[in-house]
Amino acid sequence: MPSEDTKHCLKCLAVDLLMGLVFLALIGFGVWLIYIYFLRGPIDIETRGFVSRTVRSEEVQPIHVEKYRLSHFHNLDDVVLKGIPSESLCVKCHGDYPHTKEKKTRSFFNAHAWFMACEVCHIRPDNAEQVNYLWLEADTGEALTTLNGQPGVYGGQIVPLIVENQAQKRLDILSVTDQEFGEEFIKLREHLDEGQVKWSLKKIHKPLAKQAVFCDECHTRDGLLDFSQLLYSSQRVLHLQSLDMASMVKAYEEFHLPSLLDAR
Amino acid sequence: MNDTVNNKSQFIRLTRSQRIQHIILMISTTLLIITGFMLQADRWFISVLGNASEAVFWWRGFIHRVAGVVVTVICVYHLIYVVVSKEGRSWFLDMLPRVKDIVDAWQNIMYMLGFRKERPQMDRFFYLEKLEYWSVYFGMFVVIVTGTMMWTEYLWPKFYIDVAGAFHLGEATLAALAIIVGHIFSVHYNPHVYPMNRAFIDGMISEDLMKEEHRLWYEREMNKKENQQNGVDDNAK
């Protein structure tokens, strides 16, 4: 039988061991805190509330998306590709990031091109037309029923569907004849004269609105997009409707950035 | 070893109400630190938890909000407590910073560096305890305001939310480090109380620890006791 002294020593040793381990854990946690706050680089605050953080299956994940999210945008050199297959004729000529002209707003528009079909903004439905905007699964074209994944990366994109005779028709897929005409034009463009190119481009772009849908037409109450129909949570709907984009765009239709950012 | 175990004379350090407030604050703050800093290692958690991560992160957000509400309630309760109750007022008055605290801090540093033979004689709460207490006021104000803003993010412009997020994380980091470096050391690893100061459980402090860390308070209490005894004796006569 161990003596009382031995028992006492063993008890002290156990306490010391436990306290030592706790001490090491606390020091480790403290060092990690210092690392994340001071040494890890720019801090991205994410306040997503109850939004799911689970990543969807790999095949629909955008290429380099993790690197994109981890890097500060000023240091980003890699081209980030959508990785979502698209049959859109627009993308064939203009690419995943088509907005290049307006340097001060193109990032906003290209950020939206990440998860929206071009036709959402570039086709304006007539008053008489009923258009539904839905998230369609990238591979199957089926409507998503829930939004799983990182914001904007749900494995599909927002697509406008026009309702005709109680049937829904995708506005981002051209009629067979238009599609064939467009593909033929892409093939033969080099051999066409200036007049033929101009005429063909006019024909291809005819359905598009002269003035694209702007930020404050969607990011507002009763806007063009019904965010509830787009499966966002009620909290997220309020957020999207009340984004300062709308007021910012109204108040500052011209973006005044410091002149040092302008090219000389 | 803990002095409270070895000494027969014990003094009341924390009342029952104060111990309950401390326990609630301790549990809710621990939960807030764990569930808050999980966001800073979300990729690691997702890789470890796999499919369960969605549910775990839902509960993370839920627990963080519940703990946030609890900590807010206990802070409001404490404000009422220090105004309304006698022991609360006494606590608050003794916690008020005084010029002596600056002198104590200087003399204590000199003592620890070996330039002074004796520790300064300190009162019921010494300068580090006061610093911790008032830091909680400042910290709680920052995290409660910014946390409420982030909870109602759809009401605020993004710029405000970004600023609130930066303050929330910054204050949480500061508080967590202060708890680890300051509070955990003084109530666990300090040789006078190792492995644990039991005041937060039984509310008592040993005579030796009173003499060592709160000499002025000890002398005041002893004088009070002596006067009471003399008063009793006089009355008896």
Side-chain angles (χ1 to χ4, degrees):
Chain A
M1 271 297 274
S3 65
E4 283 302 311
D5 281 353
T6 313
K7 275 184 186 173
H8 180 69
C9 277
L10 285 172
K11 193 179 163 189
C12 287
L13 191 67
V15 169
D16 287 350
L17 198 63
L18 178 69
M19 293 300 285
L21 288 173
V22 172
F23 182 78
L24 287 176
L26 288 170
I27 292 295
F29 182 60
V31 170
W32 180 69
L33 286 184
I34 292 167
Y35 164 73
I36 61 161
Y37 200 76
F38 294 106
L39 306 175
R40 194 173 57 175
I43 298 165
D44 287 329
I45 308 296
E46 297 184 27
T47 59
R48 295 197 190 133
F50 288 103
V51 175
S52 160
R53 301 178 68 84
T54 310
V55 180
R56 251 176 92 87
S57 56
E58 286 301 316
E59 62 268 21
V60 293
Q61 285 299 304
I63 300 160
H64 297 160
V65 67
E66 286 302 311
K67 187 164 187 181
Y68 173 77
R69 280 168 45 73
L70 289 170
S71 306
H72 192 280
F73 65 93
H74 281 147
N75 300 329
L76 182 69
D77 288 318
D78 288 359
V79 174
V80 183
L81 303 173
K82 259 172 110 168
I84 297 175
S86 174
E87 293 300 317
S88 166
L89 197 61
C90 315
V91 176
K92 282 186 180 161
C93 286
H94 296 285
D96 278 344
Y97 300 106
H99 307 98
T100 54
K101 283 182 188 167
E102 288 293 331
K103 287 184 181 175
K104 289 171 183 171
T105 53
R106 62 189 182 185
S107 348
F108 278 114
F109 301 149
N110 283 333
H112 285 72
W114 179 275
F115 57 87
M116 280 170 33
C118 311
E119 291 77 7
V120 173
C121 299
H122 291 281
I123 290 185
R124 277 182 182 276
D126 292 338
N127 288 337
E129 289 176 337
Q130 189 194 340
V131 175
N132 291 330
Y133 296 88
L134 299 176
W135 282 97
L136 297 189
E137 218 269 328
D139 295 327
T140 63
E142 295 289 318
L144 294 179
T145 51
T146 54
L147 297 183
N148 296 313
Q150 303 288 345
V153 191
Y154 305 120
Q157 58 179 353
I158 300 174
V159 171
L161 296 110
I162 190 162
V163 181
E164 285 178 347
N165 302 324
Q166 295 183 326
Q168 295 195 117
K169 182 185 142 198
R170 287 177 68 152
L171 279 178
D172 63 327
I173 295 178
L174 300 174
S175 64
V176 178
T177 47
D178 287 343
Q179 187 76 17
E180 283 174 353
F181 177 82
E183 284 172 0
E184 193 74 5
F185 168 73
I186 293 169
K187 277 184 203 164
L188 299 175
R189 179 175 181 152
E190 297 297 318
H191 308 289
L192 300 177
D193 62 38
E194 196 180 329
Q196 287 172 314
V197 170
K198 206 171 174 183
W199 180 84
S200 303
L201 288 175
K202 197 173 177 185
K203 179 176 165 61
I204 290 168
H205 291 100
K206 196 180 175 186
L208 304 183
K210 282 183 183 168
Q211 188 72 41
V213 173
F214 209 54
C215 317
D216 59 346
E217 292 178 74
C218 293
H219 290 290
T220 181
R221 284 176 194 275
D222 304 321
L224 189 66
L225 299 183
D226 180 347
F227 293 116
S228 303
Q229 194 181 32
L230 286 167
L231 307 173
Y232 290 108
S233 66
S234 52
Q235 189 191 30
R236 186 83 176 127
V237 168
L238 284 170
H239 190 197
L240 289 167
Q241 286 175 341
S242 60
L243 273 182
D244 52 345
M245 281 305 303
S247 58
M248 190 176 84
V249 170
K250 272 180 190 165
Y252 307 105
E253 290 203 358
E254 279 188 35
F255 288 85
H256 296 284
L257 292 177
S259 58
L260 60 94
L261 296 176
D262 290 338
R264 291 182 185 275
Chain B
M1 191 51 77
N2 192 342
D3 275 357
T4 56
V5 178
N6 299 332
N7 284 273
K8 287 177 183 172
S9 296
Q10 302 277 311
F11 293 80
I12 295 172
R13 178 69 170 156
L14 297 173
T15 63
R16 192 171 66 171
S17 166
Q18 290 160 0
R19 277 178 277 146
I20 291 171
Q21 289 177 56
H22 173 266
I23 292 261
I24 293 172
L25 185 69
M26 181 182 76
I27 293 170
S28 51
T29 306
T30 306
L31 286 173
L32 284 166
I33 289 174
I34 293 170
T35 54
F37 282 104
M38 274 176 77
L39 278 181
Q40 298 302 317
D42 57 341
R43 255 169 267 281
W44 180 79
F45 275 108
I46 288 169
S47 67
V48 170
L49 298 168
N51 290 335
S53 59
E54 187 173 357
V56 170
F57 271 88
W58 189 91
W59 281 105
R60 182 217 67 79
F62 182 76
I63 293 168
H64 195 79
R65 285 163 177 78
V66 171
V69 170
V70 171
V71 99
T72 308
V73 169
I74 202 67
C75 284
V76 172
Y77 174 81
H78 184 75
L79 288 176
I80 297 167
Y81 166 80
V82 296
V83 173
V84 172
S85 77
K86 193 181 168 188
E87 65 181 40
R89 281 197 298 275
S90 152
W91 170 282
F92 186 82
L93 291 172
D94 287 343
M95 272 289 183
L96 287 175
R98 292 183 172 83
V99 178
K100 187 182 180 314
D101 294 319
I102 300 167
V103 177
D104 285 349
W106 172 253
Q107 290 182 345
N108 205 29
I109 291 167
M110 290 294 108
Y111 166 73
M112 286 188 282
L113 291 174
F115 296 118
R116 243 181 94 92
K117 284 186 179 173
E118 288 182 0
R119 280 187 91 171
Q121 294 190 349
M122 291 178 281
D123 211 329
R124 182 180 174 192
F125 301 113
F126 66 97
Y127 61 94
L128 279 177
E129 290 169 329
K130 289 183 182 181
L131 193 66
E132 269 188 64
Y133 178 74
W134 291 106
S135 300
V136 175
Y137 271 86
F138 170 77
M140 284 300 167
F141 175 75
V142 172
V143 290
I144 288 170
V145 170
T146 55
T148 308
M149 283 177 72
M150 289 195 290
W151 198 349
T152 55
E153 60 179 334
Y154 48 86
L155 296 176
W156 307 91
K158 187 175 180 300
F159 173 74
Y160 287 18
I161 294 299
D162 286 347
V163 172
F167 271 75
H168 199 79
L169 177 62
E171 174 50 39
T173 307
L174 183 66
L177 286 172
I179 291 167
I180 292 169
V181 177
H183 195 64
I184 298 280
F185 172 79
S186 64
V187 296
H188 287 288
Y189 293 95
N190 178 354
H192 297 145
V193 296
Y194 181 86
M196 181 168 66
N197 186 336
R198 295 174 61 86
F200 81 103
I201 299 171
D202 57 18
M204 307 306 284
I205 182 173
S206 70
E207 188 173 2
D208 277 358
L209 196 57
M210 279 277 277
K211 284 179 186 171
E212 175 69 23
E213 294 191 347
H214 310 283
R215 185 85 197 188
L216 293 180
W217 186 38
Y218 170 74
E219 285 173 0
R220 206 166 57 237
E221 289 297 308
M222 293 309 285
N223 284 338
K224 207 188 288 176
K225 195 176 170 186
E226 206 173 310
N227 290 339
Q228 276 174 352
Q229 278 176 346
N230 290 339
V232 171
D233 290 344
D234 290 343
N235 289 337
K237 286 175 190 174

